[in-house]
Amino acid sequence: MTLPNIKISQLRALVAVAQHQNFSQAALELNVSQSGISHAIASLEEELGVQLLHRGRYGAHLTPVGEQIVQHAAKVLTHLSDIVSAAQHAKGLDGGRVRVATFRSLATHLLPEILVKFRQRFPNIKVTITEFEEWTELEQALQQGNADISLSDLLNPNDFDSFELLRDEYVVLLPPNTVVHQETKTLTWEQLAQFPLILPNSQSCSRYIEPYVQQETVPLEVAYRIRGDSTMMSLVKQGLGAAILPRLAAEPIPETIHACNLPIPLERVIYAAMRKDALHTPATYAFLETLRAFQH
């Protein structure tokens, strides 16, 4: 049997179109033109001699044979990734360095467990951690080559090679003398409005919390904007208001302070990311593997 001349780019295009059921979205994911995606699919169909997709005004849908073939295509791409990983390992992981940029809360509560597992497998690779306060600083560290990997809530995840690591919910921290119903621990807008709000003075606050508290249902009073998490916690302890923070930034939460849920859930998505155009070392890929194993 003569094997057809199938290209990896054709398989990537097929899998992407199957996932999005849309040529333009597949083109965005693979960072190619829509005509490039169309050509790759058409040439693959010609090579195989079967129709893989039904194209219509409501998108692109797999034919019955296309559904079979896309499963095999996905496996081929997985095996290709395994081949690349094996080659990277063969280049040597007896040394090297990984530079990680992240927030204090992630460095405190997330990285220690990851570093223990990483050191067990790769004891000779050095890991340096740099803490930043703003996500723009983290993205800049990546873009300027001052970090190999960032762990943060990216503004534009598609600008990097990235994957979701975890989701960090926002909580309300109430003063010690507050009466809290233990059944739900979820506040109503009216209950939240009883407290002067203590908010972080950060870009993340502007991005997540500000639009949230500006809802028109019940007026909320912002009394303090504070840079340090520990200062916010001290104000809450003194009964000066209620603070809204990501749970990882709030932990460890003192026993005297009540942690409650917001009226409507709010969370930030934490990504592991690296530059698309950089030549990454085997040590960097090894650290990424450890992160993927840790995904929540």
Side-chain angles (χ1 to χ4, degrees), residues 5-67:
N5 185 24
I6 298 175
K7 298 178 181 178
I8 297 298
S9 58
Q10 294 171 331
L11 299 183
R12 287 199 178 104
L14 176 62
V15 170
V17 173
Q19 289 174 342
H20 295 284
Q21 298 184 349
N22 183 285
F23 277 67
S24 60
Q25 290 297 318
L28 286 174
E29 177 185 326
L30 299 179
N31 197 27
V32 298
S33 65
Q34 186 171 337
S35 61
I37 292 288
S38 298
H39 176 73
I41 297 296
S43 59
L44 180 59
E45 289 178 326
E46 182 179 354
E47 193 70 42
L48 294 174
V50 294
Q51 184 178 356
L52 301 173
L53 295 165
H54 291 301
R55 301 156 177 82
R57 60 185 298 184
Y58 299 109
H61 303 277
L62 292 167
T63 64
V65 68
E67 291 180 355

Side-chain angles (χ1 to χ4, degrees), residues 61-274:
H61 303 277
L62 292 167
T63 64
V65 68
E67 291 180 355
Q68 297 179 43
I69 290 175
V70 76
Q71 294 180 20
H72 295 298
K75 291 179 181 178
V76 169
L77 295 179
T78 298
H79 290 318
L80 179 63
S81 177
D82 293 339
I83 290 171
V84 173
S85 296
Q88 292 291 346
H89 281 291
K91 293 177 183 177
L93 287 169
D94 291 332
R97 179 182 64 158
V98 181
R99 299 168 300 167
V100 180
T102 190
F103 295 136
R104 179 203 59 80
S105 58
L106 298 178
T108 302
H109 302 293
L110 177 69
L111 277 178
E113 182 180 350
I114 293 173
L115 288 174
V116 167
K117 294 180 179 179
F118 185 74
R119 289 291 301 274
Q120 288 173 347
R121 293 186 60 195
F122 309 104
N124 296 322
I125 295 178
K126 295 181 180 179
V127 179
T128 59
I129 300 171
T130 304
E131 297 179 11
F132 293 91
E133 294 187 353
E134 304 289 3
W135 48 260
T136 50
E137 296 174 329
L138 285 157
E139 293 192 9
Q140 187 177 39
L142 276 186
Q143 296 286 19
Q144 294 180 350
N146 296 323
D148 302 307
I149 297 172
S150 82
L151 305 178
S152 70
D153 48 337
L154 295 173
L155 180 61
N156 297 303
N158 292 332
D159 291 347
F160 303 90
D161 282 332
S162 64
F163 60 88
E164 181 179 320
L165 188 63
L166 59 88
R167 294 183 175 235
D168 188 17
E169 65 174 343
Y170 280 81
V171 295
V172 185
L173 304 177
L174 302 180
N177 60 354
T178 307
V179 177
V180 177
H181 296 290
Q182 297 296 327
E183 291 79 14
T184 62
K185 282 196 172 183
T186 298
L187 300 182
T188 64
W189 288 113
E190 290 75 14
Q191 290 171 327
L192 185 60
Q194 295 176 10
F195 299 91
L197 293 185
I198 305 167
L199 302 185
N201 184 18
S202 65
Q203 293 173 340
S204 290
C205 178
S206 300
R207 182 178 171 189
Y208 294 105
I209 306 177
E210 290 287 358
Y212 186 93
V213 300
Q214 289 172 5
Q215 52 76 37
E216 298 179 357
T217 307
V218 179
L220 301 176
E221 175 197 354
V222 179
Y224 306 96
R225 300 180 188 274
I226 306 297
R227 172 64 66 177
D229 300 339
S230 59
T231 303
M232 294 177 65
M233 200 73 72
S234 295
L235 295 181
V236 174
K237 282 183 179 180
Q238 296 301 319
L240 295 174
I244 300 178
L245 279 171
R247 182 173 290 277
L248 286 178
E251 291 181 345
I253 301 173
E255 292 183 0
T256 57
I257 289 180
H258 306 284
C260 294
N261 301 319
L262 287 163
I264 298 175
L266 178 66
E267 61 186 11
R268 59 176 180 172
V269 181
I270 303 300
Y271 294 90
M274 61 183 186

